[in-house]
């Protein structure tokens, strides 16, 4: 599901998307991965500073937030990206969600001197049994 709503910006807009994420999660098999991508503006060098999720500044102007539906095991697939990952200890959306900041680029992008993408991936917290 790409280009959900280009008008979604800021913390309040992201809450609307998280409601959609939860509704979609309930309709799919439990093993299917459902994630919200919040893309930020690309940068020239690897950025180790995760965006402040309460401010939501510098969201990408060219790429809207998107929901990704992935098959089980997709995140374990080998890739050629150089990247930095940092989980957030908490999110402004409460304990139902986890978030991880990822800054990186693929080998193809690196060979061409392209910028690094910056994305915050938001997931529903897995229920504890």
């Amino acid at each position: 599901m790409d280009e959900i709503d280009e008008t979604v910006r800021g913390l309040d807009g992201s809450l609307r998307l998280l409601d959609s994420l939860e509704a979609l999660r309930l309709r799919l098999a439990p093993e299917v991965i459902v994630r919200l991508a919040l893309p930020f503006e690309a940068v020239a060098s690897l950025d180790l500073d995760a965006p402040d999720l309460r401010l939501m500044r510098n969201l990408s102007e060219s790429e809207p937030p998107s929901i990704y539906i992935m098959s089980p095991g997709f995140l374990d697939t080998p890739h050629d990206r150089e990247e930095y990952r940092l989980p957030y200890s908490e999110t402004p959306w409460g304990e139902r969600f986890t978030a991880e900041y990822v800054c990186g680029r693929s080998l193809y992008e690196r060979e061409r001197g392209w910028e690094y993408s910056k994305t915050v991936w938001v997931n529903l917290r897995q229920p504890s049994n």
Side-chain angles (χ1 to χ4, degrees), residues 105-119:
R105 63 183 176 178
S106 69
L107 177 62
Y108 179 88
E109 294 163 336
R110 183 175 62 228
E111 288 173 346
R112 284 152 185 78
W114 293 1
E115 296 178 313
Y116 291 80
S117 64
K118 290 176 54 168
T119 306

Side-chain angles (χ1 to χ4, degrees), residues 67-124:
I67 290 179
Y68 285 74
I69 302 170
M70 299 176 240
S71 63
F74 178 82
L75 298 175
D76 298 326
T77 305
H79 57 79
D80 70 347
R81 287 179 53 87
E82 59 173 325
E83 61 187 21
Y84 173 75
R85 296 177 160 283
L86 180 67
Y88 286 86
S89 58
E90 61 182 36
T91 75
W93 309 293
E95 293 184 17
R96 298 177 319 185
F97 300 98
T98 63
E100 180 182 36
Y101 167 64
V102 179
C103 181
R105 63 183 176 178
S106 69
L107 177 62
Y108 179 88
E109 294 163 336
R110 183 175 62 228
E111 288 173 346
R112 284 152 185 78
W114 293 1
E115 296 178 313
Y116 291 80
S117 64
K118 290 176 54 168
T119 306
V120 171
W121 291 93
V122 181
N123 304 284
L124 283 164

